[in-house]
Amino acid sequence: MRAARWPAGAGIALWRWRRTARTTQRERLRTGPGFDPARLPQRGGDRVQGLRQGVGPVYQRRYSVRIVGSDLDAPALMDRLRADVNTASPVEFAVFDKISGSSPRLELGDEYDVHMPGPWNLPVRVVERTPRSFRLATLQGHIEAGEIEFRAKDTEDGALRFTIESWTRSGDRLADLLYDRVRMAKEMQLHMWTHFCCRVAELAGGRPAGDVEVLTERTEIAGDSSRFDGRHLVGPVAGALARAFTALAKARGGRALHARGLVLDATLRLSGTSRFWGVPLLDDTAELRGLARLSRAVGLPSPFPDVLGLALRWRQPADAADGGEPATAELLLATTGHGRLGRHLLRPAARWGPGFYGCLLPYTAGDRHVLLGAVARRPLRGDTAALARAAGEGPIRMDLVVATELGPWERFGELVLTRPARTDDPVPVRFNPARHPITGLRPAGPLQQVRRRSYDAVQQVDLRTGTGLTRRRKGTTQRRGPREHRRLQRLFEGLPERPVNFEARDRPENAGPAGWHIDDRRQPLPLERPGPPEPEGSWEIARRLVRDYEFADPRIIRSAYRSGEPEPGADMLLEARFFGLRFHLGVRVGDVVDTVVEEDGRRARVWGWNYRTLDGHLERGQMDQEVLKWLDTGEVEFRLRAFSQVAGIRDPVVRLGFALFGRPTQLEYQRRACLRMADLTEAALAARRTARDAGAGVRDAGG
């Protein structure tokens, strides 16, 4: 009879799910670190299937309903539920059958089979029982591994709060596929427990006050290699695409797509949404500064349609970034469709606006997949020159929106693009959102892994030589044999595995200046006329010197290897010389600054970058190198800022030598860097004047 009832019951359950699941509010349980599986106690007895026997991520899910109008208190409600669990279960879909235990009531140690449609039963055991709660643990053969608790409590206003909370992961690879990938089992579970909560309200003689609240937190298990995640397919596909895009990038001078673009200053004005996502970008009210790059993918001339790209980079607030330290976040958008299907497809466009820009590939927020987008409402022609003129006429505003994969779009802020509009041909601006994620959003799906491999490979292509690694320039490079080159190349390729050797909480602004050497040097450079930087003027020349790390005195320190231009997350291998010894030190680029700042009521155009020391470095700390032009007076200056301290040096001889001579050498390096920057800038300006005068003389002679 039960088997004959399943088709009709499954149909009823499906109808209820279609009617209620889309409107059920699903929120994140917390914004901090996820659930620690070690918190669940080790259960005794045989056949218990704990979290350690499961597959995939751990889901902590909480279903809660507030019940009003009931004459029962929490102990009485739970006593009635323990008398027969099926009085609250949707029996057309799931039935609790007791298979062990003498009492008809639910008691400690009892075992049940939960019968559901499909080729499985779900065995559980009662492992905890109190007057206000009971807890079930899964047994071998269950499609999940973990525990679930049913509890009730009395509230101060005379109502009841009934809660179902589970800490589970999939029991095997098939269940993981159905739950986390296809998400069929997840929706079945959602229907079962939300309906259970509503039936408990009826059992209490009251009614639900509002909807059932569903909160979820997902936690990945470190070292879990048992998942069916398609990694055996992702690797070859990613490698093939990476090689194809690398070849295309070399053929096109450094970029496979979006070769030329326009860079604008950007402001993200966040206002939040009507729901809680557990993501600072979507929940907070804030104003974040950054930059944006707009480009055409293939490079077809306007008015021909092309896939238009909008790349964003901004600084996240310190309290939103991991470790409490401000971190760079990046987001790549392109013209896509707006509807439920079109948002997953690229859509060529002939105009920058009006139009819709979407992220195409989803992110994970809690247990939901979300998409981000931007809506341009202002009419904007499709060529970069018209875009630059439009930015000069006034700010370009776009709505920032978010949606689940099938849900409606909801506005969470505004993107404001402002001048100065500049091309990035002299100093290409590159983006890699996999290296600079948005706090609270994880890239979802294997295509995100494929994209990361392709981006990393393309950004290893040097714009000048077409090789993967940028060596030092002529005049500063000594000749190396093949063996030495291979050794340094191996060192460089191992840098991504090394972490930064200091924590955010150790920085001087967080822990105080005690124990740190803090330096701030300013070097005046040749003046320019007031206003924006002049083409091939002092500021432009100094920017190139900072970009290429030319200001460093090669007698003390030089760049041995680096990948392309300084970009956030890029690694560099430095060669330091110290009393005839050579040390190869790894550093990682932290931030690249290209904006207009205001200090004491004065505006300055700034370009620069910083790097942070990695494990194995002789020091711990960060160095910032920037070039500024004060727009009101035309003053140009080079600024060198650093905080540092001695790292844990294992070699006692090196440790002693660095203790005696490290700080004086560091100060001498900074002094020489400032003087070298001034000398190189003046020499470049003088060469430019000489070439200009020579050209004028040739024209006069020809006249």
Side-chain angles (χ1 to χ4, degrees), residues 129-276:
R129 179 189 178 281
T130 71
R132 290 178 171 82
S133 69
F134 61 86
R135 183 178 292 205
L136 309 177
T138 60
L139 302 179
Q140 291 177 5
H142 201 290
I143 63 172
E144 289 186 312
E147 299 183 2
I148 184 170
E149 182 178 78
F150 303 76
R151 61 179 182 267
K153 72 173 184 177
D154 300 301
T155 62
E156 295 180 355
D157 58 358
L160 288 171
R161 170 70 66 175
F162 178 75
T163 301
I164 303 173
E165 186 163 7
S166 62
W167 304 265
T168 59
R169 61 195 300 211
S170 299
D172 53 37
R173 292 185 178 184
L174 176 60
D176 180 52
L177 179 66
L178 294 175
Y179 191 90
D180 193 48
R181 304 306 171 90
V182 182
R183 293 189 286 174
M184 179 180 71
K186 183 185 297 184
E187 296 303 319
M188 292 169 54
Q189 186 185 73
L190 175 76
H191 161 71
M192 177 175 177
W193 296 129
T194 53
H195 188 66
F196 195 102
C197 289
C198 295
R199 294 283 292 270
V200 166
E202 297 176 5
L203 184 65
R207 66 183 186 280
D211 296 329
V212 177
E213 183 181 60
V214 182
L215 304 176
T216 304
E217 187 66 28
R218 167 183 168 141
T219 304
E220 296 287 349
I221 301 297
D224 179 22
S225 59
S226 58
R227 297 195 71 191
F228 180 82
D229 56 6
R231 281 178 292 184
H232 60 292
L233 298 177
V234 169
V237 172
L241 286 178
R243 288 190 292 272
F245 277 104
T246 298
L248 184 59
K250 291 180 179 180
R252 302 193 65 184
R255 289 184 187 268
L257 298 171
H258 300 278
R260 304 193 65 184
L262 192 70
V263 179
L264 298 165
D265 288 344
T267 302
L268 286 75
R269 295 173 178 167
L270 308 180
S271 57
T273 67
S274 60
R275 67 173 71 181
F276 178 72

Side-chain angles (χ1 to χ4, degrees), residues 472-686:
R472 296 180 303 220
R473 285 171 170 72
K474 184 177 180 180
T476 64
T477 307
Q478 69 172 27
R479 295 184 180 274
R480 294 195 183 98
R483 181 178 299 177
E484 177 69 3
H485 170 69
R486 288 194 297 269
R487 186 179 74 87
L488 294 181
Q489 188 172 9
R490 286 194 299 270
L491 288 175
F492 177 81
E493 292 173 349
L495 294 183
E497 305 301 323
R498 299 189 190 182
V500 174
N501 63 359
F502 63 93
E503 300 289 341
R505 62 176 179 269
D506 299 331
R507 297 171 63 97
E509 60 266 31
N510 297 328
W516 291 99
H517 296 299
I518 300 177
D519 302 294
D520 190 347
R521 292 177 179 260
R522 294 174 181 260
Q523 174 63 45
L525 301 176
L527 290 170
E528 294 185 3
R529 291 185 295 270
E534 301 174 5
E536 294 304 315
S538 177
W539 188 86
E540 286 282 359
I541 293 171
R543 181 180 69 165
R544 286 198 295 270
L545 295 172
V546 170
R547 177 197 68 186
D548 297 334
Y549 206 62
E550 294 275 342
F551 61 87
D553 190 333
R555 292 171 293 179
I556 299 177
I557 195 166
R558 64 179 69 183
S559 172
Y561 283 100
R562 57 195 173 98
S563 55
E565 310 300 340
E567 293 291 336
D571 295 322
M572 294 177 59
L573 184 67
L574 303 180
E575 182 179 88
R577 296 189 173 193
F578 182 71
F579 281 88
L581 302 176
R582 295 179 184 175
F583 301 92
H584 293 101
L585 312 172
V587 296
R588 180 164 298 140
V589 178
D591 302 293
V592 177
V593 179
D594 183 10
T595 186
V596 175
V597 300
E598 186 170 329
E599 294 184 12
D600 300 326
R602 302 177 63 196
R603 289 166 57 84
R605 178 68 190 280
V606 182
W607 192 93
W609 56 285
N610 62 48
Y611 62 69
R612 298 159 186 168
T613 55
L614 304 180
D615 271 356
H617 202 289
L618 301 177
E619 295 179 294
R620 304 169 66 237
Q622 174 177 307
M623 177 171 287
D624 297 65
Q625 39 269 330
E626 298 173 344
V627 56
L628 302 87
K629 177 180 179 181
W630 299 99
L631 303 182
D632 55 349
T633 62
E635 296 172 280
V636 180
E637 64 182 26
F638 171 61
R639 187 173 186 182
L640 201 63
R641 296 177 295 171
F643 62 87
S644 62
Q645 61 182 206
V646 180
I649 303 174
R650 296 181 179 179
D651 191 311
V653 177
V654 176
R655 185 167 61 247
L656 177 60
F658 196 84
L660 295 175
F661 305 108
R663 180 59 176 167
T665 303
Q666 184 184 64
L667 296 175
E668 180 65 13
Y669 160 77
Q670 296 175 9
R671 185 185 70 84
R672 291 188 185 183
C674 291
L675 295 178
R676 180 178 170 86
M677 172 63 80
D679 292 341
L680 292 176
T681 304
E682 291 176 357
L685 288 173

Side-chain angles (χ1 to χ4, degrees), residues 376-444:
R377 305 194 183 279
R378 177 178 170 182
L380 298 167
R381 289 172 51 191
D383 59 290
T384 54
L387 185 64
R389 289 194 298 271
E393 295 170 358
I396 299 174
R397 303 178 186 274
M398 299 183 181
D399 293 329
L400 296 172
V401 293
V402 61
T404 57
E405 288 185 292
L406 299 177
W409 293 99
E410 186 174 3
R411 187 178 186 273
F412 69 88
E414 181 183 41
L415 173 65
V416 183
L417 306 180
T418 55
R419 61 181 183 180
R422 62 268 187 197
T423 65
D424 63 340
D425 293 339
V427 184
V429 179
R430 296 177 180 271
F431 297 80
N432 192 331
R435 288 180 176 268
H436 310 104
I438 303 170
T439 301
L441 291 179
R442 300 186 305 274

